[in-house]
Amino acid sequence: MKPSHFSRRHFLAGMPTLAFAANKSPLQARIAITLDLEMSRNFPRWEDTGWDYEKGNLNAETKRYAVEAASRVKERGGRVHCFVVGRALEQEDVQWLKDLHAQGHRIGNHTYDHVNVLARKPEDTQFRFLRSPWLVKGRNAEQVICENIQLCSEAMKTRLGFEPDGFRTPGGFRDGLVDREDIQAMLQKLGFRWVSSKYPRHLAGQPGKPASEAIFDSIVKAQSEAQPFKYSGGLVEIPMSPISDIGAFRAGRWPLDNFLQAIHRAVTWAIERGAVFDLLCHPSVMYPSDPDFRTIDLICDLVQQAGERARLVTLDELATEL
Ligand SMILES: [Zn+2]
């Protein structure tokens, strides 16, 4: 290895020497931008809670935001990875999703109704089934979950003409699916090679209070827990990297600047270490919270400024590394 490969900046950032020895060059950070395509309670107005029963009834603003975000990332040479709830495919117009796919953006499965895959009882899988239990009558939780994942894949194949590119669980779990080998096996049986289900724990603070230094530190610290890995059964996990838009704008009720600062620090951490950062955001949350796409632009700027030390990736690309 030539000394010139060993930049002072990497050295100061504490890059492990072993990484250089193994790869003969500094690791390149991989930065992913993912959009979960669903409606979200409390957005655009705090009192909006009806979306719990119709997560897939995407409004025009949400679709516009997703399309514009994807186009901004593509202008910088990247692609976004979307995860769609199958029920959105009941909408009159799905051409925008076909267009996103045709432009190289990825679209994965996010279940049909946004069900909790860790639920043990059918009525705990989704609010919709609590109000309309006849929809899942006679099925146990495992059957409801399996069917809901299959329905989303089927809707994509039928209405869009292509298969889902990966699976993201509704909700993130601090340990991913480590304790649920049954769900890992179910996903593999349904044809998925990778899943995005882990959202590591970090400090959250008080809702409505600006983020403190301790919270930013905790978010940066959680990045090492958000690196891709393989479960013992072979399924690949690509975690979501804190903090998500939901964590910032719903749980924290943060101003946009706090979210931008947290993302800036987390992405910088990944770039300095040649690690992975996987932004989780929802166009339904972002259009009222960040109408000018500052988060997307910030991430693209940081990747561009890093030159050879970082690139934009999709989650299927990350999965092939493992
Ligand atoms: Zn979701």
Side-chain angles (χ1 to χ4, degrees):
M1 187 181 73
K2 287 181 197 145
S4 61
H5 284 153
F6 208 98
S7 85
R8 182 170 166 75
R9 193 185 159 125
H10 276 121
F11 181 74
L12 289 175
M15 280 286 284
T17 314
L18 263 178
F20 288 98
N23 294 282
K24 304 263 197 274
S25 66
L27 288 170
Q28 194 178 38
R30 283 87 74 223
I31 312 295
I33 295 174
T34 69
L35 313 175
D36 286 6
L37 305 178
E38 66 188 78
M39 294 308 292
S40 308
R41 68 148 56 207
N42 304 136
F43 298 92
R45 295 168 311 158
W46 195 254
E47 56 273 29
D48 293 333
T49 51
W51 302 125
D52 288 345
Y53 303 92
E54 43 170 3
K55 298 281 290 173
N57 195 11
L58 306 180
N59 65 9
E61 294 92 332
T62 295
K63 290 183 260 194
R64 262 201 303 272
Y65 198 95
V67 168
E68 171 70 17
S71 133
R72 283 175 184 243
V73 173
K74 190 172 176 185
E75 271 170 34
R76 307 295 198 94
R79 300 291 187 276
V80 294
H81 207 125
C82 302
F83 293 92
V84 68
V85 287
R87 211 167 161 207
L89 300 170
E90 291 180 19
Q91 291 194 304
E92 185 180 358
D93 180 20
V94 296
Q95 187 59 43
W96 65 285
L97 285 166
K98 291 184 184 175
D99 291 344
L100 283 178
H101 181 255
Q103 288 152 16
H105 301 292
R106 313 298 207 263
I107 304 180
N109 180 321
H110 199 40
T111 77
Y112 197 82
D113 291 290
H114 209 260
V115 300
N116 175 7
V117 304
L118 302 190
R120 300 283 190 178
K121 288 189 274 180
E123 61 270 30
D124 291 343
T125 55
Q126 227 286 342
F127 291 105
R128 186 183 180 202
F129 302 140
L130 205 54
R131 184 189 276 173
S132 314
W134 58 88
L135 290 172
V136 293
K137 196 175 175 183
R139 270 109 78 221
N140 62 27
E142 188 192 345
Q143 289 166 322
V144 170
I145 292 159
C146 185
E147 182 183 79
N148 217 268
I149 298 169
Q150 276 177 311
L151 273 178
C152 181
S153 294
E154 199 52 48
M156 286 185 68
K157 275 183 271 182
T158 307
R159 196 84 199 279
L160 301 177
F162 53 86
E163 310 242 355
D165 198 333
F167 179 75
R168 169 168 283 163
T169 55
F173 313 116
R174 76 173 64 147
D175 297 316
L177 301 176
V178 165
D179 299 326
R180 294 299 301 269
E181 285 177 15
D182 57 333
I183 301 295
Q184 295 173 33
M186 178 195 289
L187 289 171
Q188 287 176 302
K189 212 169 151 191
L190 291 173
F192 296 102
R193 211 180 75 74
W194 58 270
V195 64
S196 180
S197 77
K198 181 177 177 178
Y199 182 83
R201 211 175 167 191
H202 59 82
L203 278 183
Q206 295 286 329
K209 289 246 173 78
S212 65
E213 201 56 34
I215 289 171
F216 287 131
D217 283 348
S218 166
I219 288 168
V220 169
K221 213 170 150 215
Q223 301 308 315
S224 58
E225 296 296 314
Q227 301 303 304
F229 64 93
K230 199 180 259 188
Y231 293 107
S232 56
L235 185 69
V236 170
E237 171 69 55
I238 318 279
M240 301 158 240
S241 305
I243 187 171
S244 72
D245 56 349
I246 291 284
F249 300 123
R250 179 195 287 155
R253 304 195 74 165
W254 283 2
L256 174 59
D257 279 341
N258 276 183
F259 185 53
L260 293 171
Q261 200 177 343
I263 297 298
H264 193 143
R265 292 193 192 194
V267 172
T268 302
W269 178 95
I271 291 173
E272 285 174 349
R273 282 156 189 80
V276 167
F277 179 84
D278 169 17
L279 175 79
L280 161 60
C281 70
H282 303 69
S284 57
V285 174
M286 296 294 277
Y287 87 77
S289 309
D290 179 11
D292 298 322
F293 302 89
R294 289 177 62 197
T295 310
I296 301 280
D297 288 351
L298 167 68
I299 293 174
C300 291
D301 286 345
L302 290 171
V303 171
Q304 196 167 334
Q305 285 156 18
E308 287 298 301
R309 292 185 298 120
R311 68 190 154 96
L312 292 165
V313 293
T314 50
L315 301 198
D316 55 303
E317 291 172 324
L318 287 173
T320 59
E321 294 178 357
L322 284 159

